[in-house]
Amino acid sequence: MDDILKSLQQPEYLHAILNHLPIVGLLIGLAVLLIALFQRSRATAIAAYIIILVTALSAYPVFELGEKAEDRVEGLLDDDGRAWLHEHEERAEKTIFLFYLTAGFAFAGLALPMKTSKAIASMAVATLVCGTIALSFGVWIASSGGKISHKEFRYSPPPGG
């Protein structure tokens, strides 16, 4: 138990545990929102918006934990792993705002009183589009992250190599 508690104090460990949440959670939330759109169900849309909001915002602690873990992890890597680490960080820095924007759309879908089915559908579509873009970039970020310490995922040379 002490090992687990000690691990939970390490940013690199927490980053590894949480880094799937923005991707998998967002995928689930978007699927539920798509179902809500076809069913024309405000209750299902509310559930979807909550899932999307929470999981899109989870990108923030994942990003911050990754930043805190960088120095410790970098010293454990080979040259290719370090190149992928820097690529992973750069991708995350450039695209993290998409997760925040998606969270903003989800929040608006929850908070704004929408009186017509057209307004409800428009907000759902906007959230789906933004969320799909964020999800796509999340996969792109993760693809470089997986190559940091998993040589078996390195199908291409490292960036700048």
Side-chain angles (χ1 to χ4, degrees), residues 18-133:
L18 296 176
N19 66 13
H20 296 87
L21 186 57
I23 295 171
V24 176
L26 194 53
L27 179 62
I28 292 167
L30 293 172
V32 173
L33 187 57
L34 191 59
I35 291 167
L37 191 59
F38 284 114
Q39 290 181 338
R40 299 176 190 257
S41 170
R42 178 71 177 150
T44 305
I46 288 170
Y49 286 134
I50 291 169
I51 294 167
I52 293 167
L53 179 65
V54 170
T55 58
L57 288 177
S58 75
Y60 176 76
V62 169
F63 179 82
E64 287 300 317
L65 289 163
E67 288 287 308
K68 290 177 183 174
E70 181 184 11
D71 291 339
R72 289 178 56 126
V73 171
E74 191 169 23
L76 303 171
L77 301 173
D78 60 12
D79 289 340
D80 287 352
R82 278 189 286 282
W84 283 114
L85 176 66
H86 295 299
E87 178 70 13
H88 180 62
E89 180 181 26
E90 188 175 310
R91 289 178 182 186
E93 287 172 349
K94 287 181 179 176
T95 60
I96 189 78
F97 77 94
L98 293 168
F99 289 90
Y100 305 148
L101 187 60
T102 300
F105 276 109
F107 181 78
L110 284 170
L112 295 177
M114 289 178 242
K115 306 227 187 283
T116 67
S117 61
K118 187 174 181 178
I120 293 169
S122 296
M123 182 54 69
V125 169
T127 305
L128 282 166
V129 169
C130 188
T132 300
I133 293 168

Side-chain angles (χ1 to χ4, degrees), residues 10 13-14 76 147:
Q10 306 302 319
Y13 186 79
L14 290 171
L76 303 171
K147 295 172 185 173

